[in-house]
Amino acid sequence: IKNNGRGHYCYYREELKHYFPNEALMEAHLHRAIELKEFMIYFQPQVNLETNKIDSFEALIRWENRKFGMVSPAQFIPIAESSGLIISIGEWVLERVCQYQKEWREYGFKPVRIAVNISPKQFKQKDFVKRISALLQQYKVEPKYLELEITESSMTNLHETTSILSRLKEIGVYVSVDDFGTGYSSLSYLKEYPIDIIKIDQSFITDIEKDRKNKAIVETIILLAQNLGLEVIAEGVEETAQEQFLRENNCQKVQGYLYNRPLPANQIVEQYFH
Ligand code: C2E
Ligand code: CA
Ligand code: CA
Ligand code: CA
């Protein structure tokens, strides 16, 4: 038994932790998070290196729970995914983003593209494409202002993926491949699927100044994107030396702490729209 410092005691036994992982409790809390309004959306600006202007945002969910405090999505998204809760959470995120678009448009702000992370279960949900177009209509959001970030793990079945992606293309939303280079898929999907953007995974950017292999990988991904006519964005940019390298290699867009951390909507309005 341990005192966590705030006068609360918690059981701490490795064997127990194995059978009753914190995850079960977390899942129980996740179930009520939407109705308790515990989720928020943060926005991280994406900077265009050609214009040095922000021309899109990535929406990132935040969860503040009474018991757990702020929980990182890296912790709760996998639980949401395995329990199936990700479907309703993902829908909440999409709708909230469309609401912000409507609200900001009504304030008279110039519309901006917002990228939303889509989990594999959500992507494969039966009426996913219909729901997307219904939301766009309901909030009068032009499709070009919505980007869906999917990972290679969503693209497991060729026919299913082709069907979903081509219907999304018809609607006119953008699709990006998140964490590019970290999955196990063959590159041939890049010619099969109507994809618009490649997001170079942060792990290749982190030590790019020192690691010659990562340098080579990033250079090659950028060239690949260019040759395929895809937009390319590097994520996790924290240092000017990384930006310099990306500039020299003609990477179009960057995202990372060097520019902005993910920010709540009110700060985005203050810093970006005013
Ligand atoms: P991701 O989609 O790869 O998002 C990028 C993560 O890197 C975010 O973490 C972001 O805050 C963080 N990041 C941005 N710039 C930097 C930087 O310069 N350095 C470092 N070290 N990190 C940076 P976050 O917000 O904690 O999200 C973690 C993951 O959770 C996301 O990774 C994504 O896979 C998932 N996630 C977040 N929001 C959602 C969502 O609404 N739906 C779904 N399905 N997944 C989400
Ligand atoms: Ca992402
Ligand atoms: Ca990513
Ligand atoms: Ca990631």
Side-chain angles (χ1 to χ4, degrees):
I1 296 176
K2 261 180 118 183
N3 187 328
N4 70 3
R6 285 176 304 174
H8 300 290
Y9 289 87
C10 57
Y11 291 93
Y12 206 82
R13 264 172 59 190
E14 283 309 315
E15 325 85 270
L16 269 187
K17 222 170 121 193
H18 183 77
Y19 293 106
F20 303 104
N22 207 7
E23 292 184 7
L25 191 58
M26 208 170 263
E27 189 187 319
H29 281 263
L30 264 183
H31 269 281
R32 299 196 55 205
I34 293 181
E35 54 172 308
L36 293 176
K37 298 192 182 353
E38 294 180 336
F39 289 128
M40 281 164 293
I41 307 276
Y42 275 38
F43 299 89
Q44 187 175 35
Q46 301 179 326
V47 178
N48 186 320
L49 284 182
E50 283 151 25
T51 59
N52 292 314
K53 290 203 173 114
I54 291 165
D55 59 13
S56 44
F57 298 125
E58 177 176 0
L60 293 155
I61 194 170
R62 292 291 175 264
W63 180 30
E64 189 168 14
N65 175 263
R66 203 160 36 90
K67 181 175 175 67
F68 300 113
M70 273 293 220
V71 189
S72 153
Q75 265 186 295
F76 75 81
I77 292 289
I79 298 171
E81 178 78 30
S82 64
S83 63
L85 281 171
I86 194 70
I87 304 273
S88 46
I89 296 174
E91 272 176 11
W92 180 86
V93 173
L94 275 169
E95 177 152 22
R96 195 71 192 90
V97 164
C98 290
Q99 281 170 355
Y100 277 121
Q101 290 281 30
K102 177 173 189 275
E103 194 181 311
W104 291 343
R105 184 184 63 241
E106 288 170 354
Y107 284 140
F109 303 149
K110 192 168 159 276
V112 62
R113 193 210 289 170
I114 301 178
V116 176
N117 290 283
I118 304 295
S119 88
K121 272 208 182 127
Q122 193 185 0
F123 184 73
K124 291 175 185 178
Q125 196 193 354
K126 243 176 91 206
D127 48 359
F128 177 66
V129 181
K130 272 195 196 144
R131 282 165 190 270
I132 294 282
S133 66
L135 277 175
L136 294 173
Q137 279 184 13
Q138 183 183 349
Y139 294 97
K140 299 193 172 59
V141 177
E142 279 185 70
K144 65 177 175 186
Y145 296 124
L146 179 64
E147 174 183 328
L148 306 176
E149 294 195 3
I150 62 174
T151 56
E152 291 172 3
S153 46
S154 282
M155 307 184 232
T156 43
N157 179 303
L158 179 76
H159 289 291
E160 185 190 28
T161 309
T162 308
S163 153
I164 300 168
L165 289 177
S166 47
R167 282 180 288 140
L168 288 173
K169 183 101 211 162
E170 240 165 70
I171 294 178
V173 298
Y174 284 85
V175 173
S176 50
V177 181
D178 201 359
D179 305 340
F180 183 81
T182 62
Y184 295 93
S185 341
S186 90
L187 286 179
S188 61
Y189 75 82
L190 290 175
K191 66 173 204 243
E192 307 285 346
Y193 299 146
I195 280 158
D196 306 289
I197 301 144
I198 286 177
K199 293 196 81 175
I200 306 175
D201 191 67
Q202 174 166 319
S203 60
F204 300 118
I205 307 297
T206 311
D207 53 0
I208 207 164
E209 309 101 287
K210 285 165 273 163
D211 190 323
R212 291 188 46 232
K213 289 182 181 168
N214 277 351
K215 259 188 189 153
I217 290 171
V218 171
E219 279 170 16
T220 307
I221 296 175
I222 295 170
L223 281 175
L224 178 70
Q226 280 171 352
N227 290 336
L228 290 169
L230 304 175
E231 198 176 285
V232 62
I233 172 162
E235 52 179 350
V237 179
E238 295 180 352
E239 286 155 31
T240 45
Q242 294 164 345
E243 179 191 306
Q244 201 47 43
F245 175 85
L246 293 162
R247 266 188 200 282
E248 282 160 11
N249 287 280
N250 301 311
C251 183
Q252 285 163 324
K253 282 166 86 174
V254 283
Q255 175 182 354
Y257 295 165
L258 180 61
Y259 314 96
N260 273 118
R261 293 193 170 251
L263 299 168
N266 62 329
Q267 284 189 46
I268 284 290
V269 167
E270 266 172 44
Q271 294 186 24
Y272 174 77
F273 291 113
H274 287 290

